[in-house]
Amino acid sequence: MNDVEVTQGDGEYIFHWTEPDVTFQVTDLWKEHHQTHCYIQVTCDLPGIEPYLHGASFNISSTSTRKTLAKELEERLEAPWRDWIEAICQYVYQAERQGEPIVEISPQKPLPEEEQYRLFPLLPQGQNALIYGDGGSFKSYIAGLFSVMVALPTEGLKLPTPIYGKVLYLDYETSQDEHEWRLWRIVSGLGHDPDHFVSVYYQRRSSPITEGIAELRRFVRTNDIGFIVVDSVAQACGGDIEKQEPVSQMCNDLRSLRTTNLLLGHVPKNDSGDSRRGKTPYGSAFWRNNVRSAWEAKATQEPGASEADLGLFHRKANNSKIFKPIGVHILFEGDSVFFQRNNLRNVPELAGGLSVSDRILGCLKDHGLLGVKEIVDLLEGNANTISISLTRLQKRGLVVNLSGKWGLAAR
């Protein structure tokens, strides 16, 4: 490789030979069945020869594809193609295998908890987060709301001020028109003039993330994108959504962008789950394993009603505690949609998703001093489970026992 100039960065490799003047560009790297694939483009700058020589998907790990590419190029221009292609494959393979440089680190005091999030407590800064649930659980509206909150200096749902930045929405499910209509309703409901709203970047996509990751990296870098929404990840994955390899590849590609990413997903209709643990995205644990934070969305809406209730339940965390559920009341009114925080204890269809401890605290807040049997009857729960939960709450200083009756501890 002494006679070639190599440039690499952000998952792209460029090899330029001066004698003759030939350039190989390697982009869109992905792994499948332990083999490394890419898109390879070959160009030249020689008089009397078309500058574009060849471009195709390419398996770096395959000897036969190397021979096929060399033979194709030999028909167009005389050059040591086999040696060059072999050198390129070895270089890219070793570089991808080594990964980023090893650096020496030392302990650093963590940032305050809220500063570790682009939007606390839902979107860990610079990481992949997942919101998943049944169809019709308003995931796209919530993602649209978060996009507006990040792109526009505004607050919503009584959440702390987000880290503002530019937003890119990758849409695999709807259309630009539908997305623009949704943004109009959200911005209007937040009390802003939609005609003067700072825009978000939008792309209607059909190809998997991995196939266009090089172009995506360039766009993110050029436009200083800080927050990306992927709606939804089944199409963005581009492989078997129940297999680890395509899921991990897509999540790693998104992670390489160094942006905060919100992934929207669904659950199978036959996944019953349970109220405490929740359903599994696409019936596979790989989805929750490959993100840093996962929230399940559950919604209830009466037929024909212009309002709905949504519960966001925290199912997975890597660097934090499991946060309490977030209740949202959604009201559609004219050309606006309004979002308000709501106590899920007031929504019977969603209250079952609360922890036993939270339901006990709510019950005591509503009814005052109660015996264990009264709490069991009100919550329609198990006496042993409630007794254990009361003891734990007492140790945490949240409840007190007064002559056999339980009540909230004075604050």
Side-chain angles (χ1 to χ4, degrees), residues 30-85:
W30 80 94
K31 293 185 184 296
E32 186 176 18
H33 304 306
H34 306 292
Q35 295 187 327
T36 303
H37 302 258
C38 70
Y39 183 83
I40 191 165
Q41 179 175 289
V42 189
T43 58
C44 70
D45 188 11
L46 295 171
I49 298 178
E50 281 290 325
Y52 182 83
L53 296 179
H54 190 69
S57 296
F58 185 73
N59 185 348
I60 289 174
S61 308
S62 169
T63 301
S64 61
T65 55
R66 299 180 198 183
K67 291 180 179 179
T68 301
L69 177 58
K71 184 177 180 181
E72 176 74 23
L73 293 170
E74 284 168 356
E75 297 176 358
R76 308 200 176 196
L77 177 68
E78 184 177 345
W81 297 113
R82 292 177 185 267
D83 293 339
W84 288 357
I85 293 170

Side-chain angles (χ1 to χ4, degrees), residues 131-148 167 169-175 178-183 185-186 202 227 229-233 235 262-266 297 299 310 312 330 332 337 339:
I131 293 180
Y132 64 96
D134 294 317
S137 53
F138 302 97
K139 298 182 297 295
S140 294
Y141 264 102
I142 287 295
L145 173 65
F146 294 167
S147 299
V148 172
V167 178
Y169 202 106
L170 304 178
D171 185 6
Y172 286 84
E173 294 202 337
T174 59
S175 65
E178 184 171 342
H179 193 75
E180 289 176 338
W181 298 335
R182 188 184 297 142
L183 279 181
R185 305 175 92 174
I186 293 171
Y202 171 90
F227 176 45
V229 176
V230 182
D231 184 5
S232 65
V233 292
Q235 297 91 322
L262 173 59
L263 286 57
L264 303 185
H266 300 285
L310 168 69
L312 294 173
I330 305 173
F332 295 90
V337 58
F339 300 86

Side-chain angles (χ1 to χ4, degrees), residues 113-170:
E113 187 175 46
E114 291 183 5
E115 294 182 24
Q116 298 176 33
Y117 290 76
R118 184 163 285 270
L119 181 62
F120 181 81
L122 292 140
L123 305 175
Q125 174 72 329
Q127 303 289 345
N128 294 332
L130 173 69
I131 293 180
Y132 64 96
D134 294 317
S137 53
F138 302 97
K139 298 182 297 295
S140 294
Y141 264 102
I142 287 295
L145 173 65
F146 294 167
S147 299
V148 172
M149 291 170 63
V150 170
L152 181 68
T154 189
E155 295 183 27
L157 297 180
K158 299 181 180 179
L159 298 174
T161 303
I163 299 175
Y164 301 119
K166 294 182 180 179
V167 178
L168 172 62
Y169 202 106
L170 304 178

